[in-house]
Amino acid sequence: MTSNPLARRLRSLAAAMAVGTAALYSSQASAVQYESEIDISSEQDLYDLQLEGDISEETLETLLAMFQSGIDLNTASPEEIYELPNLTYEHVNAIIAYRKSAHGIEKPESLVAAGVLDEKLLLQILPFISLSDVSKGKKKYVGGSVKYGLAASTDDTKAPPMYARLRLKAPFNIQGGLLLMTTRNMIKKVYSEDDLLWADRPGYSLHVPKYYVQWKNSNFKVIAGTYRIGFGERLTLDNSTKSNPNGFYADDAYNTPQDLAAACKESKGDYSGTEELCNGVQGVETGDYTWSHGFRGVAASGKLELPDVELNGTVFISYEDKSIYQYELYDTEACEDPHSSSKDCKTPPIYVALDENDDLYGSGIKHSYRTLPSMFRELAGGGNATIKIGHTGFVGVTGYGAKSTFDDLSPYKLDFQEWSRIPYGGPYGAIGLNGGVYLNKVSLFAEFARSFDSMPDGKGGGYGVVQRTVYNPSKKQELELTIRYYDRDFANPYSRATAAADEYDGNRGRNEFGLRLRYYGRLPDWVFSGQADWWMWPHDALTYDKDLPEGERTVVDNSMPKGTSHLNLKTRVQFVGFDLVQPWLSFEYRNRDLGFNDNSYENSKGELVGSCYDAGSEYVKLSDEADASVKCRGQFYRAGIGTKIEPLKKQLWFDLRYQHEFLNDKKYVDELRQDVIFSLGATYKPIPELNIRARFRYLFEDIKDNEAKEQSIWAYLAVGYKLMKLYTFNLRYDFYHYLDDRKATIEKDSRSQHRFRFDFEAKF
């Protein structure tokens, strides 16, 4: 086994930068709820940040929902305003105080004039905020917006996918919304016939996935339709996209396709003929606009203000048909335990229903890698009660229960695989207690929860606890420490509490103990951000060969051994002392097993192979009698350097960056695989109404082997124009070209892809 000297030096440097910077400024704190400073002007900027590793997928989801909906600074709660990027609790308190003293915020610039925010910080939150009219005698009782978009590419052979979103504001504080979508790649409903499961081929179809009507005043709020909800530290109940949820809100969010998708998702099964699948449509095509499920039903909340005490209550009920990835299912009639390796416990095949005149009729071809629409219905209900004690703190209790029911597909009786997010076997839910205390510059938050489930091989549920401490020595600096523990049986599908990205049986917040330290600080000429996250698996996650008698079972998968610890470090430093040039440096280090740290290992066959990091498993020898697989134990390093150049303030700026990655790969025994990323972005606003954006990126994964991974160039040009502050037009063109010599690339009809996107929004 080998350990690379370069890897040791990089690891030491990562630790020194993250810990050293935190130590240097710990007396002034520094922490932020997002991974790095957010400075964007469009929705696409958020996707770019996630693509380049600056933010996680979870943060992307949070910021996208905020960008699409906007935080109304005149009506939002402190918890909602704190969701805005780059703000500290001190900023939020200052905004609330100014809003109260000025009887509302008429213009965003007034926050700068009053000294609540500086100009740079205001510009950073502008894309995420809105302001309802507070002018006396000018209140608008009817209004709203309509937004429409479509996506296409030169590879398409079908009509493009589209979406339309309508939002209305009516008298008596009534609001409503509607989301419409057309899709091309979604199959129709699965049905049973001749003791087999079938589904028609996908076709162009219209969907109404989200809709709502909402009424609210200063003390009460009611919604009917689609919504999301969450409370406390997100441990007991949370399906929102917020970092600090406190109740429910309307849900009409959607996801924009970023990549082309496979045009054909069929497999031959038993068919051995020469006819092409999918009616000959192969290759790739534009992906559909998509949506994720929250709740659909009714929710209500109210508050009662007493001297020094405020009582808050929320109740909800939901009944929604939901989609699921086809391989997350198994047939309980054929399989007693989904953990079994028996072929009877695999997902039942879903055959392609064809017309009798089709050349492939009766051939037994199957759907593959599909999301199955409306496969089950979930009934859920619960609520929250919270007592706020002046400005001192609060305490609350949250609980919910849910049950999923599948369609009658006799002779099949479907349930969830053990690795699905939703527990199999029957009803599930959780109950928890949360609270917080405000102590001058220190705020303490905690939540304790007990989950319940019906899995026959479990304990009926488990426990989880989260404690978070926030320290604010000044308005521009913040330090946050989060401690969490989730036992192996804490199978709560509606927990979104702080957790590492790895999963145990479909849930991130399960079988984990960890500490996370985050900081953020804006000094006169510098911006510092950083995160250190350590976690371990407190219990073994063993998989046994359950086809053997109980006394003869051997371990076949020890993918998460007890005591395995991990570490993620990330830090970024930017100099902002010059208006023209603002350079930055970043470093990131991830370790999947702190007890291993080698570039290679001896597998179960006695061969020396490279460790892996990004995907797959390592097959190791447990003993002379047994072999097992463990999750990848490799390491990852990313060093970045870049700068923002702004020759014309607020009119023209450039973003230049270079990133070099080192990571373990199975093919490298004595060294690390290397990837490089270079990107250049430009934004030009010749007039306030016109926004022209362009971006170029070069990616080369595994720079020593052009036949192994992707090498590509990607560029786009986007033009946005706002007419009379009421109408917004956005047009975008993407060019993607593959440079590598992988077999899949060589077999493409063309190495180049051309993509188009158009959006239009009208406010009234």
Side-chain angles (χ1 to χ4, degrees), residues 2-20 565-571 587-599 633-639 662-664 672:
T2 60
S3 180
N4 195 299
L6 174 61
R8 291 197 300 270
R9 288 196 293 270
L10 289 172
R11 187 162 59 248
S12 299
L13 178 59
M17 289 185 68
V19 179
S565 58
H566 319 253
L567 180 66
N568 284 357
L569 300 174
K570 187 173 184 178
T571 184
F587 209 101
E588 184 173 359
Y589 170 66
R590 307 176 201 160
N591 189 311
R592 290 183 178 270
D593 186 349
L594 289 171
F596 181 64
N597 296 324
D598 290 327
N599 289 338
R633 299 175 293 175
Q635 300 169 75
F636 171 91
Y637 311 82
R638 178 191 286 137
F662 303 83
L663 67 157
N664 285 118
L672 300 173

Side-chain angles (χ1 to χ4, degrees), residues 148-170:
Y148 165 82
L150 63 84
S153 76
T154 54
D155 294 271
D156 290 352
T157 59
K158 310 169 189 173
M162 296 179 282
Y163 77 92
R165 188 189 68 189
L166 172 66
R167 289 176 174 171
L168 292 173
K169 178 182 178 182

Side-chain angles (χ1 to χ4, degrees), residues 364-432:
I365 62 173
K366 305 172 184 177
H367 289 288
S368 59
Y369 305 105
R370 290 286 188 188
T371 296
L372 308 179
S374 303
M375 278 300 291
F376 68 97
R377 273 142 303 287
E378 181 189 66
L379 175 65
N384 168 271
T386 298
I387 301 175
K388 295 183 179 180
I389 307 170
H391 299 288
T392 304
F394 64 92
V395 62
V397 60
T398 305
Y400 84 94
K403 182 180 181 180
S404 295
T405 305
F406 286 86
D407 285 338
D408 182 7
L409 296 172
S410 299
Y412 298 92
K413 290 186 178 179
L414 300 179
D415 206 341
F416 306 103
Q417 290 278 4
E418 86 281 359
W419 53 269
S420 177
R421 181 180 62 87
I422 303 175
Y424 65 94
Y428 46 91
I431 187 169

Side-chain angles (χ1 to χ4, degrees), residues 39 86-87 91 108-127 476 522 579 644 646 649-650:
D39 190 357
N86 311 327
L87 295 187
H91 286 125
E109 305 88 78
S110 61
L111 294 172
V112 177
V116 176
L117 304 175
D118 60 37
E119 184 181 17
K120 180 176 175 62
L121 192 51
L122 176 64
L123 291 174
Q124 289 176 335
I125 69 171
L126 269 179
K476 296 184 179 182
R522 293 179 60 87
D579 291 334
K644 181 179 180 181
E646 193 169 3
K649 191 173 183 180
K650 300 182 183 179

Side-chain angles (χ1 to χ4, degrees), residues 623-676:
S623 65
D624 293 337
E625 293 79 24
D627 300 334
S629 66
V630 298
K631 288 189 175 182
C632 287
R633 299 175 293 175
Q635 300 169 75
F636 171 91
Y637 311 82
R638 178 191 286 137
I641 184 172
T643 186
K644 181 179 180 181
I645 305 172
E646 193 169 3
L648 299 176
K649 191 173 183 180
K650 300 182 183 179
Q651 283 191 302
L652 176 65
W653 62 90
F654 301 91
D655 178 26
L656 178 67
R657 65 171 61 200
Y658 173 79
Q659 293 177 320
H660 203 109
E661 298 176 348
F662 303 83
L663 67 157
N664 285 118
D665 190 290
K666 290 183 178 181
K667 65 187 289 186
Y668 294 110
V669 175
D670 298 319
E671 57 184 316
L672 300 173
R673 191 186 95 200
Q674 298 186 48
D675 304 341
V676 298

Side-chain angles (χ1 to χ4, degrees), residues 17 39 118 157 200 277 293 358 364 530 545 574 645 710 712:
M17 289 185 68
D39 190 357
D118 60 37
T157 59
D200 293 334
L277 304 178
H293 294 284
D358 195 294
D545 187 348
Q574 184 172 18
I645 305 172
E710 180 180 336
S712 63

Side-chain angles (χ1 to χ4, degrees), residues 326-621:
Q326 71 177 92
Y327 301 112
E328 289 187 54
L329 303 174
Y330 82 101
D331 179 19
T332 61
E333 291 289 281
C335 174
E336 182 178 345
D337 187 340
H339 294 87
S340 172
S341 58
S342 169
K343 64 179 182 179
D344 293 332
C345 294
K346 294 183 178 180
T347 298
I350 300 173
Y351 292 91
V352 180
L354 301 172
D355 186 86
E356 292 184 2
N357 297 322
D358 195 294
D359 293 336
L360 289 173
Y361 179 76
S363 62
I365 62 173
K366 305 172 184 177
H367 289 288
S368 59
Y369 305 105
R370 290 286 188 188
T371 296
L372 308 179
S374 303
M375 278 300 291
F376 68 97
R377 273 142 303 287
E378 181 189 66
L379 175 65
N384 168 271
T386 298
I387 301 175
K388 295 183 179 180
I389 307 170
H391 299 288
T392 304
F394 64 92
V395 62
V397 60
T398 305
Y400 84 94
K403 182 180 181 180
S404 295
T405 305
F406 286 86
D407 285 338
D408 182 7
L409 296 172
S410 299
Y412 298 92
K413 290 186 178 179
L414 300 179
D415 206 341
F416 306 103
Q417 290 278 4
E418 86 281 359
W419 53 269
S420 177
R421 181 180 62 87
I422 303 175
Y424 65 94
Y428 46 91
I431 187 169
L433 183 69
N434 72 288
V437 178
Y438 306 105
L439 304 171
N440 195 10
K441 296 182 180 297
V442 177
S443 301
L444 304 174
F445 307 93
E447 185 167 5
F448 172 81
R450 169 69 155 91
S451 68
F452 303 93
D453 61 67
S454 305
M455 293 187 288
D457 62 340
K459 297 180 180 179
Y463 297 92
V465 62
V466 177
Q467 195 281 316
R468 181 167 59 97
T469 303
V470 180
Y471 173 50
N472 286 100
S474 70
K475 186 185 293 185
K476 296 184 179 182
Q477 299 164 29
E478 186 171 293
L479 182 69
E480 178 188 87
L481 174 65
T482 303
I483 306 172
R484 76 254 189 197
Y485 170 78
Y486 319 116
D487 76 24
R488 187 168 52 188
D489 296 296
F490 187 70
N492 182 5
Y494 287 114
S495 174
R496 289 183 67 251
T498 299
D502 51 12
E503 295 182 352
Y504 174 63
D505 280 357
N507 289 273
R508 292 176 56 177
R510 190 173 174 187
N511 193 27
E512 180 175 306
F513 169 69
L515 309 171
R516 188 185 72 182
L517 179 68
R518 279 182 164 183
Y519 80 93
Y520 177 73
R522 293 179 60 87
L523 302 181
D525 294 330
W526 299 88
V527 176
F528 296 89
S529 63
Q531 173 176 300
D533 191 8
W534 172 89
W535 72 98
M536 65 169 289
W537 298 325
H539 306 281
D540 277 323
L542 305 179
T543 299
Y544 296 90
D545 187 348
K546 296 196 174 184
D547 292 332
L548 298 175
E550 186 170 350
E552 301 177 16
R553 292 175 182 174
T554 57
V555 176
V556 294
D557 185 356
N558 188 21
S559 59
M560 301 173 69
K562 176 182 178 180
T564 302
S565 58
H566 319 253
L567 180 66
N568 284 357
L569 300 174
K570 187 173 184 178
T571 184
R572 190 177 190 270
V573 181
Q574 184 172 18
F575 178 74
V576 293
F578 300 137
D579 291 334
L580 176 61
V581 179
Q582 298 182 357
W584 56 264
L585 288 170
S586 68
F587 209 101
E588 184 173 359
Y589 170 66
R590 307 176 201 160
N591 189 311
R592 290 183 178 270
D593 186 349
L594 289 171
F596 181 64
N597 296 324
D598 290 327
N599 289 338
S600 61
Y601 69 99
E602 189 176 292
N603 67 11
S604 57
K605 298 179 181 179
E607 303 167 334
L608 190 65
V609 297
S611 301
C612 63
Y613 172 79
D614 49 3
S617 300
E618 299 178 1
Y619 295 89
V620 299
K621 202 170 190 63

